[in-house]
C-alpha cells in the first residue's frame, strides 16, 4: 500500500495540527537559542500552540487520509483532545516547576511538543506502521524528558530504566505486529479484522501468539501489571512535572492505540483478550492499590495509584463494547484532571533543593495553606471515587459498562479494590487536616500553576456535577 | 409546583455553607451567628413542606424532575412521602441544635467546621428527598466527606482511628450497594427511578442477591449487629455536634434505606429474609444492652445503647405489619431526639469536666440541678417510661414483633429491662453518690445551653402524650408499603406519577 501513495495535497489538511505543533517545536528551540532573554514566553507559546492545535482538531471533519493510514474520526479527536489538554496542563505546571528544578527551557518545551505530536499520531493511526511511528515519536522525547535534570542520580537511573523497558516493550509490540502482518499480509488495522474472518484465523495459534505479544507491549506502555515494574521507579525518579505528564499523556495515548488495535482491529478475538484483560485489570488494581498502602513517599504513592487507575480504565476496554470504550475514554478524560491536580499540589510543596515528596510533608497543610489542602482534598476524593466528584462518575460508567458485558466478578473486585484505595488517599487527607504542621512556610503560587489548578478543579467538580455532555461526546465519538 | 421546595431544602444550606467561606476566618462570632441563622431559616423552610403535605395519599409529593445525565437515564428527581417527611424535620432541628452545642466547644478551624456542618445538612436532606437511586447514592456517599472531616479534625484523642474506621466501613458497604444498583438498573429496565423499579416483579434469586447487596450498605449504617463496631468508636471520638448528628440522623439513614429500597423493591426477598433480620435485630437489642453495662466511658455507653435501640427499630421494620413499621419509624425519630439530646447534654458537661470517665463523676444533682433535671427526663425517655416518646415507639414495636413472632417480642422486652438497668445505674453514678473531687466547681447550664435542650425536652413529652401528631403522617404511606411488600400493591404502583 505504501507504494501507491503519492503526494496528495488533500491529505495534508487533516495533519495540519501535527504540522503546526512540529513547527512550534522547532520554533521553541530556535527562540531558546537565539533569544535567550525571552525564555519566559516559551511556556505561553507552547500553550498557545497547543490551544490552536486543539481548536483545529475540534473543528476537523471526519476523514481518512494517506490511504487509510491516518484517520480523523471521533475516536481520534477525543483522544487527541485529552492529550493536548494534558500537555497544556503540564506546560502550565512547568512554568511553576522551573523555579524548583532548573531544566534547559527550550529543550524541555520542544521535547514536550514533539511528544505531543507523537501522541496525536498514535490517536489517529489507522495502520500498524503509523501507530509504531507515533509511539516512538511520543516515547523518545519522554525518555529525554525524564533524564533532563542531569544533576540528580535517580533521574538518570529512571531515564535509563524507562528507556530500556520502553525499548523492550516496543520490540514486543513490533514482534506482534510482524506476526500479524505475516498472517494477514496487511498492516491496515481496519483490514486486519476482515482478513482474520475471511482467512478463518480466529483460533490460529500464531495469531494468538501475536495477540499475546501485542497485549504485553501495550500493557508495558500503559503500566498494567505484571508489566508495571518500571513505573514506580521511573515515576519517582523523574522530575515531578514530568511524572505528572507521564502518568497522563503517554498513558492516554497508549490506551488510544490499545483500544484502536483491540476494539477496531481484533474484535473477533474478544473472547481471547477480554478474559485476559479482566485478570490483568484485577491484578493491576490489586498491585497498585495494595502496594500504595505502605508507601511513605507521596510521589511513589501516586505512582502506584496511577497503576491502579490503569486497571480501572481497562474495565471499559475489556468489555469490548462501544459503551465500554466510551467509558474508558470518559474515565481517562476525568483521570487527567484529578491526577494532574494531585501532582500539582505535590509540586507546590516542593522548594528549591528540597523535593518534599513524603506524605509527612503534607502534615498540617490545611493550616499552612487552606486552599491547597482543600484542592488536594477534592482531587483525592475524586481519585477514590466519592461523589459528587467526577472520579465517581467515571468509575460508575466503567463499572456499568463492564457489568453490561457480563464481567460481574471483575466489577465486584474493582469495587473492593477501590474501597482499599480509600485508605491511602485518606491518609494524605488525615495528614493535611488532622495533624499539626511541621513547618510554617506558605506555598508559592505562580500564574501558570493557578490556571492549571483552576482547570483541574473545574474538571473534577464540573464534570462531577454535569457529566452529561462529556458522556454524550464520548458516546458520539464512536458512532 | 411553582417553588421547588425540596431543592431549596437541599441547596440552601449548601450555598449558605459556601457563603461562610467569604467571611474572614478570624471573625468566628460572625461565622457562628451566620451558621445558626442559616440553619434556623432552613428549619423554617421545612414548615411549608409539613403544612402543605397531604396525609391522605401515599404518592410522592412536592415532586421535582429534571433530566440530569441523559446518556444513563439518570434524573434529578425528588419527592417525599409520609415516611421521609419526618426525617426532613428531624434533620433541620438536629443541625440547629448541633450548631448551638458547638458554640463554644469548637475553637479551632471554626469556619471549616460550620461549612462542613451545613454541607452535611444539605446532603442529608438530599438523601431523604431523592427518588432516583443514583441521585440517592450521590447524596449518601457525598455525606461521608464532611462527616469524615468532622470526626477526624474536631474529634477526641483517638479520632483518626475512629474516623477512618467509620469511613471504610461505610464505603465498603456502599460500594457493594453500588454494584447492586447497577445490577438493578439492568434488570429493572434501565432506569434508576425508584418508583418504576418498585413496580416490577423480579426473580427471587435476583432479589436475594440485591437484598444482601443493599444490606451491606444499610446494615452498616444502622448499624446492625455484627457490623456495628464502627459506631462506638465514631460516637465516642466525634465532637458533640458530630455525635448528635450521627445518633440523630446519620444512623437513621440505614433504616430509611431498608424502608425506601429493600422493602418495596425486593418484597419477596424481604419476606424470605425476615427471620435472619429479626434474629439480628434481637441480638443487637440484647447484646447492645449487655455491653452497655460494662462501659466505663459515658459516650461509649450511649453509643452501645444506640446499637440496642436501633435493634428495636429494625425489629419493628422487619415485623412487617402496621404496628411494627409505624413503631419502627416513630422510634427512629424518637431515638434521634432522645439520643441526640443525651449527646447534647454529655457534650455540655464534657466541656466543663473534659472527662468521659463515668467514675470521675458523682453528685452532680446538687451542683447542676437544672442539668440533672434535663438529663433525668432524657434518661427516662431512653428507658421508655410511659408519658415519654420512647414508650410509644417501643410499645408499638413490641406489639408488631409479637404479632409477627411472639418470642422476638419476649426477648426484646428483656432489652427494655436491661435498658432501665444501665440507664438508671448511669444516672445514679453521675448525679448521686456524693460529690466527687473536681466536680464541686462546675457551673450550671447557661441560657444558650438551656435553650438547646428545651426543644428536645418539649418534643419528648409532646410525642409521648400525643404521638398521633407524627403517626398521622405515616398511616397511608406505611399501609401502602405493606401492600407492596405483601405483593398486593403491584398494580397500584404502576399508576402514573402525579405531575
Amino acid at each position: 500500500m505504501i507504494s501507491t501513495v503519492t503526494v496528495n495535497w488533500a491529505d495534508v489538511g487533516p495533519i495540519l495540527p501535527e504540522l503546526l505543533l512540529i513547527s512550534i517545536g522547532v520554533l521553541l528551540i530556535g527562540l531558546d537559542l537565539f533569544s535567550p532573554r525571552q525564555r519566559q514566553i516559551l511556556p505561553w507559546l507552547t500553550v498557545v500552540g497547543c490551544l490552536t492545535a486543539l481548536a483545529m482538531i475540534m473543528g476537523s471533519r471526519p476523514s481518512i487520509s494517506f490511504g487509510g493510514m491516518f484517520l480523523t474520526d471521533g475516536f481520534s479527536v477525543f483522544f487527541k483532545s485529552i492529550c493536548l489538554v494534558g500537555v497544556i496542563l503540564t506546560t502550565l505546571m512547568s512554568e511553576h516547576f522551573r523555579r524548583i528544578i532548573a531544566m534547559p527551557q527550550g529543550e524541555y518545551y520542544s521535547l514536550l511538543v514533539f511528544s505531543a505530536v507523537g501522541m496525536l499520531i498514535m490517536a489517529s493511526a489507522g495502520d500498524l506502521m503509523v501507530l509504531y511511528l507515533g509511539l516512538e515519536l511520543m516515547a523518545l522525547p519522554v525518555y529525554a524528558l525524564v533524564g533532563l535534570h542531569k544533576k540528580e542520580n535517580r533521574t538518570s537511573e529512571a531515564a535509563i530504566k524507562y528507556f530500556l523497558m520502553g525499548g523492550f516493550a516496543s520490540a514486543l509490540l513490533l514482534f506482534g505486529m510482524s506476526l500479524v502482518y505475516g498472517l494477514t499480509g496487511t498492516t491496515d488495522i481496519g483490514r486486519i479484522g476482515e482478513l482474520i474472518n475471511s482467512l478463518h484465523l480466529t483460533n490460529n495459534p500464531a495469531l494468538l501468539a501475536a495477540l499475546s505479544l501485542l497485549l504485553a507491549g501495550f500493557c508495558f506502555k500503559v503500566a498494567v501489571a505484571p508489566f508495571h515494574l518500571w513505573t514506580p521507579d521511573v515515576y519517582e525518579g523523574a522530575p515531578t512535572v514530568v511524572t505528572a505528564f507521564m502518568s497522563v499523556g503517554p498513558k492516554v495515548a497508549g490506551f488510544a492505540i490499545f483500544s484502536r488495535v483491540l476494539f477496531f482491529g481484533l474484535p473477533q478475538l474478544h473472547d481471547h483478550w477480554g478474559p485476559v484483560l479482566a485478570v490483568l485489570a484485577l491484578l493491576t488494581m490489586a498491585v497498585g492499590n495494595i502496594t500504595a498502602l505502605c508507601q511513605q513517599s507521596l510521589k511513589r504513592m501516586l505512582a502506584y495509584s496511577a497503576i491502579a487507575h490503569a486497571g480501572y480504565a481497562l474495565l471499559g476496554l475489556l468489555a469490548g463494547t462501544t459503551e465500554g470504550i466510551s467509558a474508558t475514554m470518559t474515565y481517562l478524560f476525568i483521570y487527567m484532571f484529578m491526577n494532574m491536580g494531585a501532582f500539582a499540589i505535590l509540586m507546590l510543596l516542593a522548594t528549591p533543593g528540597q523535593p518534599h515528596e513524603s506524605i509527612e510533608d503534607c502534615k498540617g497543610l490545611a493550616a499552612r495553606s487552606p486552599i491547597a489542602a482543600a484542592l488536594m482534598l477534592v482531587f483525592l476524593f475524586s481519585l477514590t471515587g466519592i461523589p459528587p466528584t467526577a472520579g465517581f462518575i467515571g468509575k460508575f460508567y466503567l463499572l456499568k459498562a463492564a457489568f453490561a458485558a457480563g464481567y460481574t466478578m471483575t466489577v465486584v473486585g474493582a469495587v473492593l479494590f477501590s474501597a482499599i484505595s480509600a485508605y491511602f488517599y485518606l491518609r494524605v487527607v488525615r495528614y493535611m487536616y488532622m495533624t499539626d504542621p511541621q513547618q510554617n512556610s506558605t506555598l508559592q503560587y505562580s500564574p501558570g500553576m493557578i490556571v492549571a489548578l483552576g482547570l483541574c478543579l473545574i474538571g473534577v467538580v464540573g464534570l462531577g456535577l454535569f457529566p452529561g455532555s462529556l458522556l454524550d461526546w464520548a458516546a458520539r465519538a464512536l458512532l | 409546583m411553582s417553588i421547588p421546595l425540596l431543592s431549596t431544602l437541599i441547596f440552601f444550606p449548601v450555598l449558605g455553607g459556601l457563603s461562610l467561606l467569604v467571611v474572614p476566618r478570624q471573625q468566628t462570632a460572625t461565622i457562628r451567628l451566620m451558621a445558626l441563622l442559616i440553619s434556623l431559616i432552613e428549619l423554617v423552610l421545612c414548615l411549608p413542606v409539613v403544612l402543605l403535605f397531604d396525609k391522605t395519599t401515599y404518592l410522592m409529593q412536592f415532586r421535582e424532575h429534571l433530566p440530569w445525565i441523559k446518556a444513563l437515564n439518570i434524573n434529578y428527581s425528588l419527592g417525599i412521602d409520609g415516611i421521609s417527611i419526618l426525617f426532613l424535620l428531624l434533620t433541620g432541628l438536629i443541625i440547629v441544635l448541633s450548631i448551638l452545642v458547638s458554640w463554644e466547644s469548637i475553637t479551632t478551624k471554626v469556619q471549616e467546621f460550620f461549612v462542613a456542618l451545613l454541607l452535611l445538612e444539605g446532603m442529608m436532606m438530599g438523601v431523604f428527598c431523592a427518588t432516583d437511586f443514583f441521585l440517592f447514592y450521590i447524596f449518601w456517599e457525598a455525606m461521608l466527606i464532611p462527616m469524615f472531616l468532622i470526626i477526624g479534625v474536631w474529634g477526641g484523642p483517638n479520632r483518626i482511628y475512629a474516623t477512618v474506621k467509620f469511613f471504610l466501613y461505610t464505603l465498603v458497604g456502599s460500594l457493594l450497594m453500588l454494584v447492586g444498583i447497577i445490577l438493578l438498573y439492568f434488570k429493572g429496565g434501565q432506569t434508576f427511578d425508584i418508583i418504576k423499579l418498585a413496580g416490577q416483579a423480579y426473580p427471587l434469586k435476583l432479589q436475594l442477591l440485591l437484598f444482601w447487596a443493599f444490606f451491606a450498605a444499610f446494615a452498616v449504617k444502622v448499624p446492625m449487629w455484627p457490623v456495628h463496631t464502627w459506631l462506638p468508636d465514631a460516637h465516642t471520638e466525634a465532637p458533640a455536634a458530630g455525635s448528635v448528628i450521627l445518633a440523630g440522623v446519620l444512623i437513621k439513614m440505614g433504616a430509611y434505606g431498608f424502608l425506601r429500597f429493600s422493602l418495596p423493591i425486593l418484597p419477596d426477598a424481604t419476606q424470605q429474609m425476615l427471620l435472619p433480620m429479626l434474629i439480628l435485630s434481637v441480638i443487637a437489642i440484647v447484646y447492645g444492652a449487655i455491653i452497655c453495662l460494662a462501659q466505663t466511658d459515658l459516650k461509649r455507653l450511649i453509643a452501645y445503647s444506640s446499637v440496642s435501640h436501633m435493634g428495636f427499630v429494625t425489629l419493628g421494620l422487619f415485623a412487617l405489619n402496621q404496628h411494627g413499621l409505624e413503631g419502627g419509624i416513630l422510634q427512629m425519630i424518637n431515638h434521634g431526639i432522645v439520643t441526640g439530646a443525651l449527646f447534647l447534654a454529655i457534650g455540655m458537661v464534657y466541656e466543663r469536666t473534659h472527662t468521659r470517665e463515668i467514675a470521675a463523676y458523682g453528685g452532680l444533682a446538687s451542683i447542676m440541678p437544672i442539668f440533672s433535671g434535663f438529663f433525668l427526663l432524657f434518661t427516662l425517655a431512653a428507658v421508655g417510661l410511659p408519658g415519654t416518646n420512647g414508650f410509644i415507639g417501643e410499645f408499638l414495636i413490641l406489639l408488631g414483633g409479637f404479632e409477627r413472632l411472639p418470642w422476638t417480642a419476649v426477648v426484646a422486652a428483656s432489652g427494655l429491662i436491661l435498658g432501665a438497668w444501665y440507664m438508671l445505674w448511669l444516672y445514679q453514678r453521675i448525679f448521686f453518690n456524693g460529690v466527687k473531687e473536681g466536680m464541686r466547681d462546675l457551673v450550671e447550664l447557661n441560657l444558650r445551653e438551656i435553650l438547646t435542650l428545651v426543644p428536645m425536652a418539649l418534643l419528648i413529652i409532646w410525642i409521648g402524650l400525643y404521638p398521633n401528631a407524627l403517626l398521622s403522617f405515616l398511616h397511608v404511606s406505611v399501609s401502602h408499603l405493606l401492600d407492596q411488600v405483601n405483593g398486593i400493591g403491584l398494580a397500584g404502583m404502576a399508576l402514573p406519577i402525579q405531575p
Side-chain angles (χ1 to χ4, degrees):
Chain A
M1 265 144 296
I2 295 161
S3 58
T4 62
V5 176
T6 52
V7 177
N8 176 358
W9 288 107
D11 281 345
V12 177
I15 60 163
L16 274 179
E18 284 82 355
L19 292 177
L20 171 80
L21 283 178
I22 290 174
S23 40
I24 295 269
V26 175
L27 182 66
L28 285 166
I29 294 212
L31 273 180
D32 183 58
L33 204 59
F34 297 113
S35 173
R37 294 216 183 121
Q38 261 78 50
R39 272 186 192 149
Q40 68 271 25
I41 67 156
L42 297 183
W44 304 107
L45 183 65
T46 314
V47 169
V48 170
C50 289
L51 276 177
T52 319
L54 185 62
M56 287 162 78
I57 287 166
M58 299 287 256
S60 62
R61 264 167 293 147
S63 65
I64 298 171
S65 36
F66 296 107
M69 289 190 150
F70 192 90
L71 311 174
T72 308
D73 49 5
F75 177 84
S76 71
V77 169
F78 194 96
F79 272 105
K80 285 176 172 183
S81 308
I82 309 183
C83 294
L84 281 176
V85 177
V87 172
I88 291 172
L89 288 174
T90 312
T91 313
L92 290 169
M93 292 172 189
S94 314
E95 191 266 331
H96 172 89
F97 201 66
R98 73 188 162 86
R99 290 149 218 230
I100 315 292
I101 292 181
M103 288 187 282
Q105 294 294 296
E107 287 87 337
Y108 177 84
Y109 290 110
S110 66
L111 283 171
L112 203 59
V113 169
F114 281 123
S115 172
V117 176
M119 290 187 241
L120 299 191
I121 294 177
M122 283 161 85
S124 272
D127 188 285
L128 292 179
M129 296 318 296
V130 177
L131 184 146
Y132 184 74
L133 207 68
L135 182 66
E136 289 304 293
L137 181 53
M138 180 276 289
L140 285 170
V142 181
Y143 301 144
L145 279 174
V146 172
L148 209 53
H149 181 45
K150 287 174 292 196
K151 285 177 189 144
E152 186 157 337
N153 285 339
R154 63 173 189 173
T155 331
S156 311
E157 184 201 327
I160 291 290
K161 202 172 249 175
Y162 190 32
F163 177 67
L164 290 177
M165 289 296 190
F168 188 56
S170 298
L172 287 178
L173 210 56
L174 267 186
F175 197 3
M177 289 178 187
S178 64
L179 279 177
V180 171
Y181 178 68
L183 288 164
T184 59
T186 179
T187 51
D188 186 314
I189 296 172
R191 295 256 301 140
I192 291 171
E194 298 166 24
L195 286 166
I196 288 176
N197 271 348
S198 57
L199 299 171
H200 307 292
L201 289 171
T202 321
N203 286 316
N204 185 308
L207 187 65
L208 295 183
L211 179 66
S212 338
L213 289 166
L214 286 174
L215 282 180
F218 289 135
C219 289
F220 254 116
K221 290 295 175 189
V222 298
V224 162
F227 307 101
H228 68 287
L229 292 166
W230 58 274
T231 324
D233 291 341
V234 174
Y235 279 19
E236 197 186 9
T240 311
V241 68
V242 178
T243 311
F245 172 66
M246 276 198 298
S247 71
V248 172
K251 188 170 275 197
V252 169
F255 266 104
I257 54 172
F258 208 158
S259 322
R260 179 76 86 181
V261 170
L262 291 189
F263 182 67
F264 293 94
L266 306 167
Q268 300 88 345
L269 299 187
H270 178 239
D271 289 345
H272 295 293
W273 55 259
V276 171
L277 286 186
V279 173
L280 292 185
L282 280 177
L283 187 66
T284 308
M285 292 175 222
V287 167
N289 286 324
I290 294 172
T291 323
L293 288 176
C294 48
Q295 297 307 317
Q296 288 307 317
S297 155
L298 180 56
K299 198 171 171 186
R300 207 172 169 84
M301 189 204 93
L302 285 175
Y304 280 108
S305 132
I307 295 175
H309 283 275
Y312 298 129
L314 269 187
L315 284 175
L317 178 56
L318 63 89
T321 55
T322 323
E323 192 197 11
I325 302 291
S326 58
T328 295
M329 287 156 64
T330 312
Y331 193 71
L332 291 171
F333 198 91
I334 292 169
Y335 164 77
M336 168 180 67
F337 288 114
M338 53 196 192
N339 207 46
M340 287 283 225
F343 272 111
I345 303 291
L346 183 59
M347 281 176 234
L348 277 180
L349 289 174
T351 48
Q354 263 299 334
H356 289 303
E357 285 164 3
S358 140
I359 297 186
E360 303 261 315
D361 290 314
C362 292
K363 272 191 173 167
L365 188 62
R368 281 171 66 197
S369 168
I371 296 178
L375 286 171
M376 189 65 166
L377 177 89
V378 172
F379 298 138
L380 289 172
F381 274 113
S382 184
L383 285 167
T384 319
I386 305 285
T389 56
F392 169 70
I393 301 284
K395 212 173 255 178
F396 175 80
Y397 198 20
L398 281 172
L399 295 178
K400 179 175 163 281
F403 207 103
Y407 290 92
T408 316
M409 288 328 286
T410 319
V411 168
V412 174
V415 155
L416 292 178
F417 284 124
S418 96
I420 291 176
S421 78
Y423 184 80
F424 61 83
Y425 291 126
L426 289 187
R427 196 153 72 118
V428 181
V429 177
R430 260 160 51 201
Y431 275 119
M432 290 194 308
Y433 277 88
M434 301 166 198
T435 50
D436 294 322
Q438 286 180 322
Q439 66 230 35
N440 281 318
S441 57
T442 45
L443 304 182
Q444 304 294 325
Y445 299 87
S446 73
M449 195 50 129
I450 292 172
V451 177
L453 280 173
L455 287 174
C456 291
L457 182 71
I458 292 171
V460 168
V461 176
L463 292 175
L465 295 178
F466 305 102
S469 45
L470 176 64
L471 299 189
D472 288 342
W473 181 23
R476 245 193 353 257
L478 291 169
L479 287 182
Chain B
M1 196 63 51
S2 49
I3 310 162
L5 276 173
L6 300 183
S7 287
T8 316
L9 281 180
I10 296 171
F11 290 104
F12 178 73
V14 171
L15 295 177
L18 293 178
S19 76
L20 288 187
L21 290 172
V22 184
V23 184
R25 27 189 312 122
Q26 298 80 13
Q27 301 187 8
T28 47
T30 322
I31 291 172
R32 278 190 201 112
L33 211 61
M34 271 180 72
L36 180 65
L37 210 64
I38 292 165
S39 65
L40 279 174
I41 296 176
E42 172 82 354
L43 185 59
V44 172
L45 284 173
C46 293
L47 286 184
V49 178
V50 176
L51 295 177
L52 297 173
F53 187 80
D54 180 2
K55 294 178 187 176
T56 57
T57 174
Y58 62 80
L59 292 171
M60 288 289 174
Q61 305 182 32
F62 306 101
R63 283 191 63 90
E64 289 170 37
H65 189 89
L66 282 172
W68 181 28
I69 309 176
K70 282 186 191 142
L72 304 173
N73 194 12
I74 295 168
N75 298 301
Y76 173 80
S77 71
L78 305 175
I80 51 168
D81 61 2
I83 294 170
S84 39
I85 184 166
L86 295 176
F87 293 104
L88 296 183
L89 271 176
L90 183 69
T91 309
L93 179 68
I94 292 280
I95 294 288
V96 174
L97 300 179
S98 37
I99 287 177
L100 280 172
V101 80
S102 316
W103 209 257
E104 276 158 16
S105 57
I106 300 294
T107 49
T108 54
K109 299 186 183 136
V110 177
Q111 187 181 33
E112 284 90 340
F113 180 79
F114 288 108
V115 173
L117 211 59
L118 289 171
L119 290 183
L120 181 64
E121 177 171 30
M123 299 302 113
M124 294 195 296
M125 290 283 179
V127 166
F128 292 123
C129 291
T131 54
D132 184 283
F133 214 155
F134 189 85
L135 188 65
F136 170 83
Y137 187 83
I138 297 264
F139 286 127
W140 173 272
E141 284 277 85
M143 213 169 56
L144 284 179
I145 303 175
M147 202 61 213
F148 174 76
L149 294 175
I150 287 177
I151 302 176
V153 179
W154 294 277
N158 201 15
R159 59 187 193 273
I160 292 178
Y161 169 78
T163 196
V164 171
K165 192 170 179 183
F166 158 74
F167 194 93
L168 291 181
Y169 258 76
T170 324
L171 186 67
V172 172
S174 306
L175 285 171
L176 290 174
M177 173 169 79
L178 181 66
V179 179
I181 295 176
I182 299 175
L183 179 61
L184 187 63
Y185 170 81
F186 284 113
K187 305 291 178 181
Q190 313 245 335
T191 178
F192 288 106
D193 187 324
I194 56 177
I195 295 162
K196 284 185 195 139
L197 286 174
Q200 309 179 31
Y202 305 99
L204 181 63
K205 223 177 137 189
L206 176 71
Q207 285 199 26
L208 287 172
L209 200 65
L210 287 172
F211 187 87
W212 288 109
F214 293 172
F215 177 84
F218 299 146
V220 166
K221 206 76 150 198
V222 167
M224 287 172 83
W225 186 87
V227 284
H228 64 280
T229 59
W230 65 269
L231 184 78
D233 289 316
H235 260 330
T236 314
E237 297 302 327
S243 306
V244 172
I245 295 172
L246 267 175
V249 187
L250 226 99
I251 62 175
K252 305 299 168 315
M253 288 176 179
Y256 176 78
F258 279 122
L259 282 170
R260 179 63 74 225
F261 301 100
S262 301
L263 266 54
I265 300 179
L266 314 167
D268 302 335
T270 309
Q271 302 273 9
Q272 286 256 323
M273 286 300 136
L274 215 52
L275 191 62
M277 292 298 123
L278 289 174
I279 291 175
L280 287 181
S281 307
V282 171
I283 292 179
I285 293 174
V286 179
Y287 173 87
I290 293 175
I291 299 281
C292 277
L293 288 170
Q295 294 309 311
T296 55
D297 181 314
L298 198 51
K299 279 179 110 175
R300 226 176 161 78
L301 190 148
I302 305 296
Y304 275 109
S305 85
S306 286
V307 175
S308 179
H309 283 143
M310 289 311 286
F312 272 105
V313 170
T314 47
L315 173 67
L317 300 190
F318 286 101
L320 285 190
N321 47 41
Q322 192 90 17
H323 287 135
L325 275 170
E326 286 188 7
I329 298 169
L330 185 65
Q331 189 62 6
M332 278 151 81
I333 305 287
N334 289 340
H335 178 257
I337 295 170
V338 174
T339 312
L342 282 169
F343 276 120
L344 285 174
I346 291 171
M348 289 169 189
V349 76
Y350 178 77
E351 230 176 283
R352 291 167 167 74
T353 61
H354 297 285
T355 177
R356 297 189 309 250
E357 282 297 313
I358 300 173
Y361 288 89
L364 257 59
S366 60
I367 296 160
M368 302 173 69
I370 303 180
F371 177 71
S372 15
F374 275 114
F375 206 94
L376 182 64
L377 178 68
F378 302 149
T379 305
L380 294 178
V383 171
L385 188 82
T388 63
N389 58 352
F391 173 72
I392 313 286
E394 282 174 357
F395 182 75
L396 282 171
I397 290 169
L398 290 179
L399 204 61
F402 197 83
E403 285 164 16
R404 172 64 57 186
L405 267 181
W407 65 263
T408 57
V410 174
V411 183
S414 77
L416 283 182
I417 300 167
L418 290 170
W421 181 0
Y422 65 74
M423 281 312 290
L424 294 178
W425 188 32
L426 173 75
Y427 194 82
Q428 183 198 11
R429 283 181 288 172
I430 293 183
F431 291 92
F432 305 136
N433 282 357
V435 182
K436 278 273 170 61
E437 200 53 45
M439 296 289 133
R440 218 168 288 281
D441 306 326
L442 295 185
V443 197
E444 181 58 281
L445 298 186
N446 61 27
L447 186 65
R448 170 180 61 82
E449 290 169 322
I450 294 177
L451 282 181
T452 314
L453 295 181
V454 162
M456 294 305 220
L458 289 180
L459 278 173
I460 285 172
I461 296 170
W462 182 51
I463 301 174
L465 297 179
Y466 185 60
N468 215 29
L470 300 189
L471 288 176
S472 63
F473 283 100
L474 300 176
H475 294 315
V476 181
S477 293
V478 166
S479 54
H480 173 65
L481 179 62
L482 275 174
D483 287 347
Q484 285 177 299
V485 180
N486 295 327
I488 306 165
L490 272 187
M493 279 314 292
L495 279 177
I497 306 119
Q498 64 186 33

